Amino acid sequence: MRPIADFIMRGRVQATLVVAGCAALPLLFWLSAAAGCLVLLRRGSDASSVLGLGLLSGLVSWHFTQDPAGLLVLLGAWSLALMLRAGHSWNRILLGSVAVGLLCAVCVGTVFSSAVEPLAKAFADVLPQAMGEVYQSFSADQKAAFGALMVPLTIISIAFSSQVLSVLCLILGRYWQAMLYNPGGFGREFRAIRIPRKVALSLLAIMCLAPFFGTYTLILSPLCSVPLVFAALALIHGLVAQKKLAGFWLVGVYVTLLPFMQLLGPLLVVLAIVDSLIDFRGRLASKDADNANGEG
């Protein structure tokens, strides 16, 4: 990944080529978003022309593909990069990602509504096959209710994925910046992420109560889980570094997480909340200091 970062920061032309060129390609919009984050974090307001051309390229791509995902991720990642550039902590960045997810949902439901209906119809067509005999046992009213949920669930899915990808692109851009100009800096930043107790409990309360206030407030549950999931991953990274464990532990975590996210996601949320109450890293650091005997 370093050669890509080196090429992006070689000059304005190279940065524009990556940001604008990748934004025009549906499968590489994430690289455009990460490259834009790198340029913005490093150059500040000087990156405006590069980001402007990247945004224009993203608009052109949306016009031809009618897929809003790339444009939403570009705007979301660069908005979070502006917060990070302004000196906000990663805790605030992750909380800001909830607002990014909500704005994405509003945009998808209004500006990009034409792209939602075909996806919702495709999900509705697949639903009987996915649920099998269970779906066939439903009454006509229950089937109609499931059909009515397709559009809201599609909006929630797009907004949630846009939020997660925005955070991941910012992480990649920050990692590139640290690799080029501050080796090891991003690792220290990420491992220090810990959601404060009141904030973590507030997020948990919103996640639990949101489904009771209607279909569209249901979106708050997955969006509010994102900061806690990333905080749990930061905790795992911090414990591995603190105990000087081998890197394969982290590889094992991510290899397990990707296919079983639906099962492990709630466990990570719980882990982050418990850490906000107990502070595992702080307790282990204190314990190690108390046990220091001057050897090694």
Side-chain angles (χ1 to χ4, degrees):
M1 300 295 278
R2 186 183 180 95
I4 299 177
D6 282 327
F7 180 79
I8 294 169
M9 297 309 298
R10 193 172 299 168
R12 189 181 300 272
V13 174
Q14 289 84 350
T16 303
L17 182 62
V18 175
V19 173
C22 292
L25 302 175
L27 296 180
L28 290 179
F29 64 85
W30 59 272
L31 184 56
S32 173
C37 288
L38 170 60
V39 177
L40 180 57
L41 290 171
R42 183 63 181 174
R43 302 300 184 190
S45 59
D46 291 340
S48 57
S49 61
V50 176
L51 299 185
L53 289 173
L55 183 59
L56 179 61
S57 182
L59 286 169
V60 172
S61 176
W62 165 67
H63 175 75
F64 286 104
T65 64
Q66 293 299 307
D67 183 2
L71 192 58
L72 292 174
V73 172
L74 292 180
L75 293 173
W78 295 344
S79 299
L80 296 177
L82 281 173
M83 292 181 62
L84 190 58
R85 169 78 182 181
H88 293 286
S89 67
W90 274 97
N91 287 339
R92 291 188 178 183
I93 301 299
L94 293 176
L95 293 176
S97 74
V98 178
V100 167
L102 287 173
L103 290 174
C104 287
V106 173
C107 290
V108 170
T110 55
V111 180
F112 305 117
S113 58
S114 60
V116 174
E117 295 178 1
L119 288 174
K121 186 178 183 304
F123 289 146
D125 293 340
V126 173
L127 189 64
Q129 299 177 358
M131 299 185 66
E133 296 181 358
V134 176
Y135 183 83
Q136 299 302 326
S137 64
F138 289 159
S139 64
D141 292 338
Q142 289 174 323
K143 292 180 180 179
F146 267 98
L149 286 174
M150 288 300 102
V151 170
L153 291 178
T154 302
I155 294 175
I156 291 173
S157 176
I158 295 174
F160 174 73
S161 60
S162 298
Q163 177 192 8
V164 173
L165 284 173
S166 296
V167 176
L168 290 175
C169 289
L170 175 61
I171 287 176
L172 179 56
R174 187 64 158 182
Y175 169 74
W176 280 341
Q177 183 191 22
M179 181 173 56
L180 293 176
Y181 307 107
N182 183 25
F186 171 72
R188 292 189 294 271
E189 283 184 356
F190 186 73
R191 290 191 294 268
I193 295 175
R194 177 173 170 266
I195 304 296
R197 179 183 306 176
K198 292 182 179 180
V199 177
L201 293 177
S202 298
L203 291 173
L204 177 63
I206 294 172
M207 291 171 59
C208 294
L209 296 176
F212 296 99
F213 289 91
T215 303
Y216 285 96
T217 58
L218 181 64
I219 191 174
L220 292 172
S221 294
L223 297 189
C224 289
S225 70
V226 172
L228 295 171
V229 169
F230 278 101
L233 294 175
L235 169 64
I236 295 172
H237 278 262
L239 293 177
V240 169
Q242 206 167 26
K243 291 300 182 182
K244 298 180 180 179
L245 301 177
F248 75 84
W249 288 101
L250 294 176
V251 175
V253 168
Y254 286 106
V255 168
T256 307
L257 180 63
L258 290 176
F260 300 107
M261 184 62 192
Q262 291 183 340
L263 297 175
L264 296 181
L267 295 179
L268 291 176
V269 169
V270 172
L271 181 61
I273 294 171
V274 173
D275 180 54
S276 70
L277 300 174
I278 296 177
D279 188 9
F280 292 111
R281 285 159 289 188
R283 288 176 176 269
L284 288 175
S286 300
K287 184 177 179 180
D288 291 341
D290 292 339
N291 293 336
N293 56 14
E295 296 181 3

